[in-house]
Amino acid sequence: MKITDFISAGFSSLLLILAFPNYNFWPFAWFGMIPLFIAIHNKTPLQSFWLGWAQGILFYLGTLSWIINTMVNYGRLPLSVSIFLLIVLALYLGAYTGLFCFFLSCFSHPKVHKWLAASFIWVSLEYVRAHFLTGFPWASLAYSQFNFLSVIQIVDITGIYGLSFLIVFINVIFFLILDYFYSFQPEKMELSIFGNYVGVAVLLIFVTLGYGFWKNFSFGSRTGKKSLKVALLQGNIEQNHKWDPAYQKMVYKTYQDMTLKAAESDPNLIVWPETATPFNFSSDIVNQKKLLQLGKESNSNILFGSPSYTERRKDITLFNSAYLISPEKKVLGRYDKIHLVPFGEYVPLKKLLFFVDKMVTGIGNFGSGTEYTVFSIPDAKLSVLICFEVIFPDLVRRFVKAGAEFLVNITNDAWFGKSAASYQHISMVVFRAVENRRPTIRAANTGITGIIDSRGKIISQTDIFVRDKIIGNIFPENNYRTFYTLYGDIFAIAILFCTIVYGGFNFYRGKRKQRWKKNRSISNS
């Protein structure tokens, strides 16, 4: 390997970093892998792994640099420790890119050019990363395209993995075009194989964009659909004031005043952010009555986040919850967050990692909910995703499958500070709306609060770290079920299965070929 190989891999990292929020140069994703492909051409599998790992490490260091802010300002960790932990995370996540390059270099079937396997391997590893060790699908390749509405519509069939597959495949095609004319490979590809690749690429682009234009048109007009007016409140409460008893009245009054002001527009639903109440709604009876009274005064349903707990045999379990109350001063339901943030809301393998505290300051270790709750208000049904949950496609679709007609994401992105993370977060929400064809509304403590329609278009949004509100109309979908809602990540699972089967066949064929060569050399001698 040469230093130029690592420079080429590093340039690939830069291009892909720029494709994601908050840079948003999304076209870079369609050719950003080419420098990496050039770097690993004609390399051994182990050499390819090192180059891919280097590329992955640099990419995640650039994309996830906001984690340092969370650990320093809210986890109260020294800067040196925070940087070290970010590097450890980047080493882990970057290993997936290393494995991608390693396995790609292992494929050598003579009748099927090895680059055909690239999309299959990438999607397989991306799917594993989204599920292994509770999963971390942040910055999956498809999310770079959240602004490209015509291309993202395909995810209501394939999920994000279909789009990732297409992006990698187009990168491969561009690389092969360069290869054909500049011959990076030791043997030039046959014209017929080259033509087949280009033909398949053109067909995939044509089908994807055609489907996208059709869905954009069909979901762009909501004539005859009944609308629902919503008010989304962004209190912009400083994180270090949120749970300080001295600021409790101030925090509550902020949301009280914003609620009464929003009520003048007569919304059907008013939404507060995650853990917006500076008290435990389930146990603080005095403040509970005040909040129920506010629902009556505003003459609107109010959805808000609050910690809660259950007590069984003197064993208390805390939950990160969402409540819905009505103008009739009734609690219509509670949802307990299912997918918790590791080291943020709980410590995984606590008995083994007894020396590790949570990364952020909170009120205790939370328990995980078990119910895919669907709330009912007049004219619509809704489900709530709390913060981190919205980045998990398979979790979100289960709420829609259970009957949700629109989705609500409540979050507190103050942990991220003034970084790209808030923009990366809402970009993933866009895909949940498209996958399930459900309008999605989002209330964040410090931004980004917004309304996203069922095409994935961000209709309106706030800035970060400002006190603001959004009032607008959405169109709940009550009958339509997408292929993705019904069957989930069947595309990714099928790709993973094919990759394993073909990988096993390729490995077996290689071993048999080695034995044949060995036997032949023995017989000749």
Side-chain angles (χ1 to χ4, degrees):
M1 292 186 293
K2 300 177 182 178
I3 188 63
T4 53
D5 295 324
F6 285 98
I7 293 174
S8 185
F11 185 54
S12 176
S13 300
L14 177 62
L15 290 174
L16 293 180
I17 289 170
L18 293 175
F20 283 83
N22 197 24
Y23 303 104
N24 292 328
F25 295 110
W26 56 264
F28 285 9
W30 298 91
F31 57 84
M33 299 180 76
I34 295 175
L36 177 61
F37 292 156
I38 293 174
I40 66 172
H41 83 86
N42 201 29
K43 298 292 192 301
T44 67
L46 188 58
Q47 289 174 329
S48 296
F49 173 81
W50 295 123
L51 290 166
W53 199 15
Q55 193 266 12
I57 291 169
L58 291 174
F59 170 74
Y60 287 108
L61 285 175
T63 307
L64 303 179
S65 59
W66 50 265
I67 288 177
I68 292 177
N69 177 79
T70 300
M71 291 189 286
V72 170
N73 294 323
Y74 305 112
R76 298 177 182 176
L77 294 176
L79 177 61
S80 58
V81 175
S82 301
I83 293 174
F84 171 75
L85 291 176
L86 172 61
I87 292 172
V88 170
L89 179 61
L91 287 170
Y92 163 68
L93 296 174
Y96 286 96
T97 310
L99 289 173
F100 164 73
C101 294
F102 176 86
F103 290 130
L104 184 58
S105 295
C106 288
F107 281 84
S108 59
H109 196 290
K111 293 184 179 179
V112 181
H113 197 282
K114 77 173 185 178
W115 295 102
L116 179 62
S119 294
F120 286 81
I121 299 171
W122 183 273
V123 167
S124 298
L125 290 170
E126 204 169 68
Y127 180 75
V128 171
R129 176 166 67 90
H131 294 83
F132 184 61
L133 297 177
T134 79
F136 190 69
W138 201 284
S140 293
L141 195 55
Y143 291 136
S144 64
Q145 304 301 300
F146 80 101
N147 274 327
F148 193 175
L149 289 184
S150 295
V151 81
I152 69 174
Q153 304 305 314
I154 194 70
V155 302
D156 71 351
I157 298 175
T158 66
I160 60 169
Y161 303 104
L163 184 51
S164 291
F165 184 98
L166 181 62
I167 293 171
V168 176
F169 189 76
I170 298 304
N171 271 273
V172 166
I173 295 305
F174 284 143
F175 170 74
L176 293 179
I177 290 174
L178 290 174
D179 172 39
Y180 187 78
F181 290 105
Y182 296 100
S183 195
F184 293 121
Q185 304 297 315
E187 294 181 5
K188 195 169 184 177
M189 186 187 304
E190 294 179 11
L191 180 61
S192 60
I193 297 177
F194 174 75
N196 290 338
Y197 269 96
V198 175
V200 171
V202 171
L203 178 62
L204 287 176
I205 292 173
F206 178 79
V207 170
T208 300
L209 292 180
Y211 183 80
F213 291 141
W214 171 45
K215 287 296 183 179
N216 261 328
F217 175 78
S218 58
F219 282 92
S221 174
R222 313 317 294 150
T223 303
K225 283 281 185 180
K226 190 170 184 178
S227 66
L228 193 77
K229 181 177 284 188
V230 296
L232 313 174
L233 309 184
Q234 180 172 299
N236 191 33
I237 306 300
E238 292 183 33
Q239 194 61 33
N240 58 347
H241 289 170
K242 196 168 185 182
W243 293 103
D244 189 336
Y247 290 90
Q248 186 183 76
K249 289 184 179 180
M250 181 275 291
V251 173
Y252 178 76
K253 191 175 188 308
T254 296
Y255 281 107
Q256 180 186 46
D257 293 345
M258 294 182 73
T259 297
L260 294 174
K261 185 68 176 177
E264 296 175 3
S265 300
D266 195 27
N268 302 90
L269 177 67
I270 297 175
V271 183
W272 297 11
E274 176 189 13
T275 57
T277 62
F279 53 83
N280 191 313
F281 180 80
S282 61
S283 61
D284 191 332
I285 304 302
V286 174
N287 283 307
Q288 182 185 112
K289 289 181 178 179
K290 288 172 60 177
L291 191 46
L292 290 171
Q293 180 62 30
L294 180 61
K296 181 179 180 180
E297 293 176 13
S298 64
N299 193 35
S300 178
N301 300 285
I302 300 178
L303 177 70
F304 59 92
S306 175
S308 65
Y309 72 92
T310 58
E311 184 175 0
R312 294 179 183 176
R313 298 177 182 178
K314 297 182 180 181
D315 184 21
I316 296 177
T317 303
L318 295 166
F319 295 97
N320 187 353
S321 302
Y323 286 89
L324 179 66
I325 62 176
S326 72
E328 293 76 31
K329 301 171 67 173
K330 294 181 179 179
V331 179
L332 299 180
R334 181 182 110 186
Y335 166 66
D336 298 327
K337 186 176 182 180
I338 294 174
H339 199 124
L340 303 176
V341 181
F343 302 105
E345 292 171 316
Y346 78 105
V347 177
L349 304 174
K350 191 174 182 180
K351 291 183 179 180
L352 180 63
L353 304 176
F354 59 90
F355 54 89
V356 178
D357 198 359
K358 293 181 302 167
M359 297 305 298
V360 294
T361 303
I363 59 174
N365 284 300
F366 289 99
S368 178
T370 58
E371 299 291 329
Y372 297 97
T373 305
V374 177
F375 296 105
S376 293
I377 60 175
D379 301 319
K381 295 180 179 180
L382 65 119
S383 285
V384 183
L385 293 313
I386 300 177
C387 190
F388 187 64
E389 290 186 307
V390 80
I391 75 173
F392 296 96
D394 189 65
L395 174 69
V396 176
R397 77 172 184 91
R398 294 176 188 274
F399 290 94
V400 178
K401 198 173 181 180
E405 297 170 356
F406 70 97
L407 299 169
V408 183
N409 176 218
I410 58 174
T411 187
N412 177 24
D413 285 0
W415 308 114
F416 301 147
K418 294 182 178 180
S419 69
S422 293
Y423 301 93
Q424 293 171 4
H425 202 183
I426 195 172
S427 72
M428 291 182 270
V429 182
V430 165
F431 285 81
R432 305 296 86 84
V434 179
E435 286 162 352
N436 301 284
R437 297 299 174 188
R438 293 296 184 270
T440 303
I441 57 179
R442 188 172 196 262
N445 175 36
T446 58
I448 301 169
T449 295
I451 296 176
I452 303 168
D453 69 13
S454 54
R455 298 172 298 166
K457 183 177 182 179
I458 302 176
I459 302 300
S460 55
Q461 69 180 77
T462 65
D463 203 349
I464 60 174
F465 289 90
V466 294
R467 183 165 296 170
D468 205 350
K469 68 178 183 296
I470 288 179
I471 299 176
N473 293 313
I474 61 171
F475 299 89
E477 298 285 348
N478 53 8
N479 294 317
Y480 190 82
R481 297 286 188 277
T482 68
F483 183 89
Y484 184 81
T485 298
L486 294 174
Y487 304 107
D489 291 315
I490 191 170
F491 174 84
I493 294 170
I495 291 293
L496 177 60
F497 176 79
C498 291
T499 304
I500 293 173
V501 170
Y502 183 71
F505 170 75
N506 192 75
F507 178 78
Y508 171 75
R509 180 182 174 277
K511 287 293 185 181
R512 193 173 69 172
K513 188 174 182 179
Q514 288 178 0
R515 287 197 301 269
W516 180 81
K517 286 182 177 179
K518 183 178 180 180
N519 293 334
R520 185 177 180 182
S521 63
I522 293 174
S523 63
N524 289 338
S525 63

